[in-house]
Amino acid sequence: ALLELCSKNNYDFKRIFYIGNDLDDFHVMKDCVYSACPSDSHSLINKISKFTLSSRGGDGVVREILESIFKLDLLEILY
C-alpha cells in the first residue's frame, strides 16, 4: 500500500519516514531509509528501527520525533 501511495502521488520512497511498532510494520520498516518506533514496540521492530524513542506508543511519539529528531521547537511554531 505504501509503494502504491508513493507511486500515485509521486513520493520518493527513500524519503519516507515510517513509524511502526509491531510485526505488521516489519517489511516496510526494513525497506524504509528512515524509521522510528516507540519504546514499547515488538523486539524485532526495535532491532530494525533507525530510531527507538523514549516514549511509549500513544505517549507523545510524534512530538518526540519532531522535537528530538527533527529539532523543531513546537512551542515556537505553535504559539
Side-chain angles (χ1 to χ4, degrees):
L2 183 57
L3 289 174
E4 184 179 322
L5 180 69
C6 288
S7 177
K8 181 178 178 182
N9 294 290
N10 202 27
Y11 298 150
D12 183 354
F13 185 77
K14 293 181 182 188
R15 298 190 67 191
I16 297 292
F17 193 114
Y18 191 90
I19 306 164
N21 69 338
D22 212 337
L23 294 177
D24 58 332
D25 300 305
F26 182 84
H27 292 291
V28 176
M29 289 182 77
K30 197 169 179 184
D31 292 339
C32 282
V33 176
Y34 308 104
S35 62
C37 69
S39 62
D40 59 344
S41 298
H42 189 280
S43 60
L44 289 175
I45 297 301
N46 275 318
K47 287 180 184 177
I48 63 167
S49 181
K50 305 300 185 278
F51 301 97
T52 298
L53 306 169
S54 302
S55 52
R56 296 172 53 87
D59 289 337
V61 167
V62 173
R63 184 179 63 248
E64 183 178 347
I65 289 170
L66 294 174
E67 292 176 343
S68 298
I69 296 173
F70 291 111
K71 306 295 184 202
L72 297 175
D73 183 344
L74 295 181
L75 286 177
E76 182 179 307
I77 293 168
L78 298 173
Y79 303 103

